[in-house]
Amino acid sequence: MRADQPASGTGRLAGVDAARAVALVGMFATHILPLRADGAPTPVGLVADGRSSALFAVLAGVGVALSTGGPRRPADARAHRAAAAALAVRGLLVGLLGLWLVEFDPPVAVILAYYGLLFVVATPLLRLPATALAVGAVVACVLGPAMSLLLRSGLPAGPGGQPGLAAVAQPGALLETLALTGVYPVLPWITYLLAGMAVGRMDLRSARVAAGLLAVGTVLALLASGASALLLGPGGGAAALGPTALAQRRYGTTPTGSWWWLAVDTPHSGAPLDLAHTTGTALAVLGAMLLLARWARPAVLVPAALGAVPLTLYTLHVVALAAYPGTVPDGSPDEGALLVGHVLAATAIATALWLAGRRGPLESVVSGAARRVRVALNPAPPAPAPGR
């Protein structure tokens, strides 16, 4: 294998899959370990809260781009229609899986229904070049939260209960939750989708691209946090909002009573500087994993195995948490042992599938259905991509 092709044995980019494993394990940690203690963020809260799910979403955009040709976009309208239909089927199946998981009453917010809607939103964008997608990400980062604040001003505060399968009977209310008021609202999260798609249209086998992602992502994350600190401190935002309000954890959106909320970078606030910061950290992680896969490939083999089957592992994680949230005989939580158990089980499953040369069962079902739709609409094979 050439040095500029650090792919896994299945044609996938090991660095992308390794980054996806970072997101997956980070979400495991935020689901299981406490994020705040005595009014202050815990180490997990400081490192992973808001960033893991953002990384997951940015990599969704990367995956969309790679699955539709990577740098080689759909060549014509027919190829675009076929790729868009396949992506819509993928989004529908993933979304329905997310709604079904809610029926288990898990103690976590399930991301998959929002993820599925992001796939649908991506369908008209598949022929855009990386530059246009990157510009769109900037525009979405600025305007998406402002539009969300305006549209939510007359709605009850979110996030409310999680939508399950019964929500399909009320599509308008379901769309409102997924797009505006839920824990992972799609309107502001379009920023992550577009940023990821822009990255996926680049040559991710290039060391220069990987180093650029690491550098740009790090700078963007630092600038966003610095800008928020300036606006809230010397700018007067903190005084206008109040220290108690700023200390509260957000669940997807901010209150709508003041435009100052757009200056915060609180995790899961969906404000522009939160989106910019978490997009930056996602790009930095992806760049670092791509470089690590290039320079020390054995170090990413196990993480890449996990990241190759995220849908299966995430689903098992949610079902397992619903069945056993983790307590010891005296009723107190046993979070550390539970997290280790989830990570070890996921690693064992992913490694076994990798050694057997098999995809995850849910990945196979979703990809198989999408592929059949694409081939039915356009029998010509898509342009090859370096991996998903």
Side-chain angles (χ1 to χ4, degrees), residues 210-223:
L213 291 174
L214 176 58
V216 169
T218 301
V219 171
L220 177 59
L222 292 173
L223 287 177

Side-chain angles (χ1 to χ4, degrees), residues 16-39:
V16 174
D17 282 339
R20 197 174 284 115
V22 173
L24 194 64
V25 173
M27 292 185 77
F28 285 10
T30 58
H31 289 166
I32 294 172
L33 299 180
L35 302 179
R36 300 185 71 86
D38 300 323

Side-chain angles (χ1 to χ4, degrees), residues 233-255:
L241 297 175
T244 303
L246 287 176
Q248 294 176 358
R249 188 168 187 269
R250 298 297 157 195
Y251 294 92
T253 57
T254 58

